[in-house]
């Protein structure tokens, strides 16, 4: 019988289980679970950039998706599952007790947002990130130097410091803190002890300032100087980290029974979704893997002997083995991409939800049908009309900082902006300017890598936007002046995670072997249109000038 692995892919809105044949790469079955509490935006406060998720959403999704995916498989598949690996968003940490249980699963904290997972896009810790950066720049060792030289409010230490400052109850009850990508494998193996569970090299290196040159995490003295509340926490965290080809353990008897699997199933060390998405898209050295969804994460790998001690400023870190074990992994990205299109869609939906919904001329069922049908067509219709608009014809220039700026040079306090509006500026023209802004943000990332001496030989795209929007992909290709290959797999992140599981389980000796045997290849390729490239060069300069004005003058 063939062997199978399961890629468990935790996104911002849902979790997916993908079952893959390790010999052929066939994606046998896939099931998605939308987080019910998150769908209601429970525990969130969007105007204050607070985004929290309850661990029950994660646990319910874990069980449901694997059980249902196995039900869809031919007979005999469950008995031949050899490995499970996990990818999640990040940095998404949670406060845990001495047993490694998230505080929101303990009495008294069930409804406390500070006791829940702090989602990657939570930006409540801007002040704390600024203080970390200020202290790092005057410390004898700059602990941010392997993370682009700027620590972000999206990351581990800023988030936990903000929470314990804000909530004395959580501060007193928290023994340690655990990333989402570390907690799920710990749950599956039955070892959630914060001091013994295996911690992800990917998460620790990119988001927590872990580095071998520092002997692990930054020094105790650094943290105490930052805030005495952090005293002693380092000793309750970790020193060692592990790449995604390493086994975290085997499936516990409790979870084997819940899932209908064997206790011989190997559980791999977790990693972040974008990093394992790059694996699933068959990333190769000096090719930028762009995960294009609500935000973007741009992954690049390079041989260690070629990168050497080179430091790339303003990115989201460079970590040995964070993407492909044995290779340097470099991360960048945009804090908002598809989220910007979704924001504009919500803006246009306002009359539907607030005027049509109140109409007494039609019945409730008809109203809801009209609202749903219209809402579903907004982006598609905008795209059709925007494609007809000549480049620069509208005079509108936008900035893609609606959720702050991740790269280059993280600054989550920045806001988006639109300039050049007049009384003829209609929805398709504004939409096109927003799409162009996201493409310009992508080019700013490429320019930073190249200016810092890291070449980019090609681009591989994956994610929902890459698969669905020809308009966006052609504009990005034109702006970057580079061909863009789109990965064939609909679920590259989950596929990459299934590949990691195959290596952790010993089916393949390394990630390259797993990619070769399980990869889905390329679906399509977008090529830059020369005349568009030249027009966008001029518009990109306007984007940069507008950005400088907003950042430094506004």
């Amino acid at each position: 019988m063939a062997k199978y692995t399961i890629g468990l892919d935790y996104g911002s809105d849902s979790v997916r289980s993908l079952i893959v044949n390790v010999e052929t790469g066939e994606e046998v079955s896939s099931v998605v679970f939308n987080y019910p509490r998150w769908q209601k935006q429970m525990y969130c406060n969007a105007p204050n950039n607070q985004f929290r998720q309850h661990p029950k959403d994660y646990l319910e999704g874990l069980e449901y998706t694997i059980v249902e995916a196995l039900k869809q498989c031919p007979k005999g598949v469950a008995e031949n599952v050899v490995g499970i690996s996990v990818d999640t968003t990040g940095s998404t940490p949670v406060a845990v007790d001495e047993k490694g249980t998230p505080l929101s699963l303990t009495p008294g904290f069930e409804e406390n947002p500070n006791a829940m997972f702090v989602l990657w896009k939570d930006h409540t810790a801007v002040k704390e990130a600024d203080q970390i950066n200020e202290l790092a720049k005057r410390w004898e060792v700059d602990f941010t130097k392997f993370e682009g030289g700027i620590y972000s409010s999206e990351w581990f230490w800023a988030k936990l410091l903000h929470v314990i400052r804000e909530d004395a109850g959580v501060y007193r009850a928290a023994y340690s803190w655990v990333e989402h990508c570390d907690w799920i494998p710990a749950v599956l193996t039955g070892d959630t002890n914060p001091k013994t569970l295996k911690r992800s090299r990917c998460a620790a290196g990119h988001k927590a300032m872990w580095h071998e040159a520092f002997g692990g995490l930054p020094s105790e003295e650094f943290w105490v100087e930052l805030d005495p509340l952090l005293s002693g926490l380092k000793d309750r965290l970790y020193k060692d980290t592990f790449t995604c080809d390493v086994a975290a353990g085997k499936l516990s008897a409790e979870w084997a029974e819940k899932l209908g699997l064997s206790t011989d199933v190997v559980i791999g060390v977790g990693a972040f979704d974008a990093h394992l998405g790059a694996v699933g898209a068959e990333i190769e050295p000096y090719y930028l893997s762009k995960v294009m969804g609500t935000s973007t994460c741009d992954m690049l790998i390079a041989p260690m002997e070629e990168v050497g001690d080179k430091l790339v400023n303003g990115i989201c870190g460079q970590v040995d083995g964070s993407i492909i074990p044995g290779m340097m992994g470099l991360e960048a990205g945009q804090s908002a991409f598809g989220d910007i299109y979704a924001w504009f869609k919500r803006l246009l939906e306002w009359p539907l939800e607030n005027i049509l919904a109140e109409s007494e001329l039609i019945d409730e069922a008809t109203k809801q049908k009209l609202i749903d049908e219209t809402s579903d067509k907004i982006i598609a219709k905008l795209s059709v009309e925007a494609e007809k608009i000549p480049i620069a014809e509208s005079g509108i220039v936008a900035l893609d900082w609606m959720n702050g700026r991740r790269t280059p040079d993280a600054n989550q306090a920045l806001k988006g902006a639109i300039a050049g509006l007049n009384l003829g500026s209609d929805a398709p023209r504004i939409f096109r300017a927003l799409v162009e802004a996201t493409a310009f943000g992508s080019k700013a990332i490429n320019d930073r890598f190249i200016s810092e001496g890291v070449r980019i030989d090609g681009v591989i795209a994956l994610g929902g936007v890459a698969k669905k929007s020809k308009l966006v992909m052609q504009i990005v290709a034109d702006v970057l002046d580079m061909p863009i290959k789109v990965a064939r797999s609909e679920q590259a992140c989950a596929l990459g995670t299934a590949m990691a599981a195959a290596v952790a389980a010993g089916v393949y000796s390394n990630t390259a072997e797993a990619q070769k045997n399980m990869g889905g290849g390329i679906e399509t390729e977008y090529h830059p249109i020369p005349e568009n490239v030249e027009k966008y060069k001029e518009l990109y300069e306007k984007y940069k000038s507008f950005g400088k004005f907003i950042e430094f003058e506004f």
Side-chain angles (χ1 to χ4, degrees):
M1 290 289 292
K3 292 183 172 62
Y4 302 86
T5 56
I6 299 176
L8 194 58
D9 171 29
Y10 282 91
S12 298
D13 303 318
S14 62
V15 56
R16 175 185 300 274
S17 284
L18 178 69
I19 301 178
V20 182
N21 182 318
V22 299
E23 295 170 9
T24 66
E26 177 193 1
E27 298 178 9
V28 182
S29 70
S30 175
V31 171
V32 175
F33 176 87
N34 294 311
Y35 309 136
R37 297 161 190 82
W38 172 256
Q39 283 189 308
K40 299 174 184 176
Q41 285 295 280
M42 295 171 68
Y43 319 115
C44 297
N45 185 336
N48 291 333
N49 290 310
Q50 175 183 300
F51 298 98
R52 310 292 166 86
Q53 292 185 329
H54 202 292
K56 285 185 178 179
D57 277 354
Y58 298 160
L59 293 174
E60 291 166 7
L62 164 61
E63 184 171 355
Y64 175 84
T65 57
I66 291 181
V67 169
E68 293 301 312
L70 287 169
K71 286 180 182 178
Q72 295 179 8
C73 292
K75 186 177 179 180
V77 169
E79 292 81 2
N80 287 281
V81 171
V82 296
I84 301 173
S85 282
V86 177
D87 75 70
T88 73
T89 65
S91 177
T92 302
V94 70
V96 298
D97 65 14
E98 201 162 351
K99 295 179 181 178
T101 303
L103 295 187
S104 45
L105 295 179
T106 65
F109 292 98
E110 297 92 338
E111 301 299 316
N112 184 343
N114 290 324
M116 298 174 191
F117 283 89
V118 185
L119 188 64
W120 66 268
K121 67 178 181 179
D122 186 295
H123 291 162
T124 52
V126 170
K127 175 184 175 182
E128 286 73 18
D130 287 344
Q131 291 172 340
I132 290 171
N133 285 314
E134 189 277 329
L135 180 60
K137 292 300 174 282
R138 59 182 173 84
W139 204 254
E140 60 267 26
V141 176
D142 183 355
F143 292 115
T144 70
K145 67 180 181 179
F146 296 108
E147 301 202 339
I150 303 174
Y151 201 76
S152 170
S153 65
E154 293 185 346
W155 299 347
F156 183 81
W157 287 101
K159 287 177 170 177
L160 76 85
L161 179 56
H162 176 78
V163 168
I164 64 176
R165 282 175 170 175
E166 183 176 79
D167 195 318
V170 170
Y171 168 67
R172 289 191 296 269
Y175 175 78
S176 188
W177 288 74
V178 178
E179 282 280 1
H180 184 193
C181 71
D182 294 335
W183 185 65
I184 297 297
V187 167
L188 289 172
T189 61
D191 178 16
T192 57
N193 184 328
K195 300 192 79 169
T196 59
L197 67 87
K198 285 188 167 65
R199 307 280 188 148
S200 162
R201 170 76 56 85
C202 174
H206 284 287
K207 312 301 180 187
M209 296 187 283
W210 180 95
H211 198 277
E212 290 174 330
F214 308 146
L217 296 167
S219 67
E220 173 73 5
E221 293 77 15
F222 178 83
W223 297 120
V224 173
E225 176 73 16
L226 180 65
D227 195 314
L229 290 176
L230 296 172
S231 177
L233 178 58
K234 179 185 174 182
D235 290 338
R236 303 194 301 275
L237 288 168
Y238 53 90
K239 183 177 180 181
D240 297 322
T241 65
F242 302 88
T243 50
C244 65
D245 57 336
V246 174
K250 291 193 174 181
L251 189 63
S252 70
E254 175 188 358
W255 277 93
E257 183 177 354
K258 285 182 180 181
L259 302 177
L261 295 170
S262 164
T263 54
D264 290 330
V265 173
V266 172
I267 307 301
V269 169
F272 288 152
D273 48 3
H275 298 70
L276 285 173
V279 173
E282 300 173 69
I283 191 172
E284 53 186 287
Y286 299 109
Y287 268 70
L288 196 70
S289 170
K290 292 184 70 68
V291 183
M292 304 171 76
T294 56
S295 64
T296 73
C297 283
D298 295 3
M299 305 287 118
L300 190 144
I301 60 172
M304 294 296 297
E305 63 273 16
E306 294 180 18
V307 175
D309 298 326
K310 184 181 297 179
L311 295 174
V312 181
N313 290 315
I315 65 169
C316 302
Q318 49 196 84
V319 181
D320 177 7
S322 64
I323 303 170
I324 301 289
M327 290 270 189
M328 178 66 78
L330 300 99
E331 176 191 351
Q334 293 161 266
S335 291
F337 198 87
D339 263 354
I340 295 177
Y341 316 149
W343 162 78
F344 192 57
K345 177 188 172 189
R346 290 195 302 273
L347 203 67
L348 299 180
E349 286 173 339
W350 192 92
L352 299 177
E353 301 290 349
N354 294 277
I355 297 176
L356 180 59
E358 296 174 358
S359 173
E360 297 178 359
L361 299 177
I362 50 179
D363 61 81
E364 290 299 322
T366 303
K367 277 193 290 190
Q368 195 56 52
K369 184 179 180 182
L370 279 171
I371 291 170
D372 292 344
E373 287 181 350
T374 304
S375 176
D376 289 344
K377 294 176 182 177
I378 288 175
I379 294 296
K381 184 62 174 176
L382 283 171
S383 297
V384 169
E385 296 304 315
E387 193 170 9
K388 301 174 183 176
I389 299 167
I391 297 169
E393 179 261 8
S394 70
I396 302 172
V397 179
L399 292 174
D400 57 314
W401 300 339
M402 304 293 191
N403 198 26
R405 184 179 63 209
R406 181 182 296 160
T407 313
D409 304 320
N411 186 344
Q412 302 309 151
L414 292 174
K415 308 293 183 184
I418 304 174
L421 299 173
N422 61 31
L423 295 180
S425 301
D426 57 15
R429 284 171 171 78
I430 295 172
F431 179 70
R432 183 176 182 110
L434 293 171
V435 171
E436 290 169 342
T438 57
F440 293 147
S442 295
K443 181 168 174 54
I445 291 170
N446 281 29
D447 287 354
R448 176 55 58 91
F449 275 119
I450 293 167
S451 68
E452 294 283 314
V454 178
R455 73 178 196 268
I456 297 176
D457 293 343
V459 179
I460 305 170
L462 57 149
V465 175
K467 302 289 283 187
K468 296 174 184 176
S469 180
K470 293 181 179 179
L471 172 72
V472 173
M473 296 310 299
Q474 186 60 56
I475 289 176
V476 174
D478 291 340
V479 169
L480 297 184
D481 191 16
M482 297 186 77
I484 302 177
K485 299 177 181 179
V486 179
R488 184 178 303 280
S489 175
E490 294 285 341
Q491 305 301 331
C493 292
L495 176 59
T497 305
M499 291 176 179
V503 181
V507 177
Y508 296 112
S509 60
N510 56 54
T511 306
E513 281 187 14
Q515 288 178 302
K516 180 180 178 181
N517 288 279
M518 298 172 69
I522 298 301
E523 176 182 72
T524 190
E525 188 168 348
Y526 292 87
H527 293 271
I529 300 169
E531 62 187 78
N532 292 354
V533 170
E534 293 306 313
K535 292 175 182 177
Y536 275 128
K537 285 180 181 178
E538 184 176 344
L539 203 54
Y540 179 56
E541 293 303 315
K542 293 182 179 180
Y543 165 87
K544 290 195 293 183
S545 296
F546 186 32
K548 288 178 183 177
F549 171 75
I550 292 296
E551 183 169 5
F552 300 112
E553 303 294 338
F554 186 73

